[in-house]
Amino acid sequence: IVKAVVFFCFWQGVALGIMAYMGYVPSTPHFSSDSVVEAIQELLVCIEMVLVSVLFHYAFPVSEFADVQTIDRLRQNDHPDGLREHMRKLRENVSDPFRVADIRQDIQYY
């Protein structure tokens, strides 16, 4: 899916560039035709990303990456502390890419 998105965006940009070169995309008093083409390209990419996110939901279901049965069991109050612990670990994993301590440590010691 990712390769298809990159491939499609590239050729979409080429097609829009050709349309601008041939005069199909007019300039306005405030924007050149290149700026209009760039804005159209960015708008189309945003719309396409919404569609691709839906496709990703079906291509990579959560059940392949998480133990859905365990999470459901924890949610049914079988283990209230277990769910709390699970959510704590989830928050740690989500926030891990934003921690800069390891980068600072690498700079300091290397």
Side-chain angles (χ1 to χ4, degrees):
I1 293 176
V2 175
K3 289 180 182 179
V5 169
V6 172
F7 181 79
F8 183 72
C9 287
F10 172 77
W11 287 109
Q12 175 179 282
V14 169
L16 286 170
I18 291 171
M19 289 173 60
Y21 178 76
M22 296 177 72
Y24 291 115
V25 181
S27 60
T28 66
H30 301 288
F31 300 104
S32 67
S33 64
D34 290 339
S35 296
V36 173
V37 165
E38 185 178 342
I40 291 170
Q41 172 81 11
E42 291 173 2
L43 176 66
L44 289 174
V45 167
C46 289
I47 293 169
E48 292 159 7
M49 289 303 114
V50 171
L51 299 173
V52 168
S53 68
V54 172
L55 293 175
F56 265 54
H57 177 72
Y58 291 106
F60 305 106
V62 172
S63 59
E64 291 182 16
F65 303 99
D67 187 2
V68 177
Q69 293 172 346
T70 302
I71 293 171
D72 287 342
R73 183 175 44 80
L74 293 172
R75 284 188 181 150
Q76 293 172 357
N77 294 329
D78 290 342
H79 304 289
D81 290 334
L83 179 60
R84 201 170 291 123
E85 178 66 17
H86 180 74
M87 294 307 290
R88 184 190 65 76
K89 288 179 183 177
L90 181 65
R91 280 192 303 274
E92 276 183 17
N93 290 337
V94 168
S95 65
D96 189 49
F98 301 104
R99 293 192 185 119
V100 294
D102 58 338
I103 297 171
R104 193 172 7 152
Q105 194 176 34
D106 288 345
I107 292 170
Q108 183 178 2
Y109 294 112
Y110 297 109

